Amino acid sequence: TNVTITANPAEITSDLTLDLNGYTITREVSNDSETKAYVFRPNGVNLTILDSSEAKTGTVKMVPKGVASFDGSKYVTAVYVAGAAGKFTLESGTLDNSAIITAYNSYRSGTVMLGNGTFEMNGGVIKGQKNTNTDTAKMTGSAIGALDNGKIIINGGKIYAWKDATPAETYA
């Protein structure tokens, strides 16, 4: 069954493999009181997402609720990896943050964000968010971001980011 959530779920504190199996998890995000919005937050553990469905339509999606864009004090991300020992692996399925628009410098914006830890992409699709700030020094809407000592390994899959006013494929 497809699921819609409106608040951050609990941190993931033990290793977890999630098979989307063709279903969608939608996270509605408001601009009212949330400063950190996410669907998954593995803290020092391993999270693996895959989609075993034949059509490969399984998706984790962030969508705005009652707001056009977010300011730079927020971070809106599908997966936020916390803790140096944490690891997120995307095997298949889609992580979609493309409906999220940031209007200010938000270094914490991205579909996958690493506070530390490791992100490994072996397959699947990541759709990044858009930044409408016209100051090129502040245009930081992204698909993947690493803070501190985060490590990114890309072995396969597709990553889409915004170019001008439309999503564009940047890596394949």
Side-chain angles (χ1 to χ4, degrees):
T1 296
N2 294 327
V3 175
T4 298
I5 55 177
T6 57
N8 289 337
E11 285 187 0
I12 298 169
T13 56
S14 61
D15 292 353
L16 173 69
T17 297
L18 174 68
D19 183 352
L20 295 168
N21 197 23
Y23 292 103
T24 299
I25 299 171
T26 302
R27 170 68 160 92
E28 294 180 338
V29 184
S30 70
N31 208 14
D32 299 332
S33 60
E34 296 180 276
T35 58
K36 300 176 182 179
Y38 54 84
V39 179
F40 300 106
R41 188 170 192 256
N43 191 352
V45 298
N46 298 318
L47 168 65
T48 300
I49 293 179
L50 58 96
D51 179 15
S52 66
S53 70
E54 187 174 326
K56 301 293 184 224
T57 55
T59 303
V60 176
K61 187 174 197 171
M62 305 291 283
V63 297
K65 180 181 178 185
V67 63
S69 66
F70 296 88
D71 66 33
S73 66
K74 314 265 185 250
Y75 74 72
V76 180
T77 181
V79 179
Y80 180 80
V81 180
K87 182 177 181 183
F88 168 53
T89 304
L90 180 62
E91 295 290 347
S92 54
T94 299
L95 302 180
D96 185 355
N97 224 17
S98 63
I100 301 300
I101 299 172
T102 56
Y104 187 73
N105 179 24
S106 180
Y107 66 91
R108 297 177 223 181
S109 64
T111 305
V112 176
M113 290 298 300
L114 306 171
N116 275 309
T118 301
F119 168 56
E120 183 171 353
M121 184 172 183
N122 296 318
V125 175
I126 294 177
K127 296 181 180 180
Q129 62 189 336
K130 181 178 181 180
N131 187 314
T132 58
N133 192 319
T134 57
D135 180 348
T136 56
K138 295 181 178 179
M139 293 179 69
T140 60
S142 64
I144 303 169
L147 307 171
D148 302 323
N149 295 310
K151 180 178 179 182
I152 300 169
I153 303 165
I154 300 175
N155 299 314
K158 291 188 177 186
I159 300 171
Y160 295 87
W162 286 86
K163 180 179 180 183
D164 302 321
T166 58
E169 184 176 335
T170 55
Y171 301 101

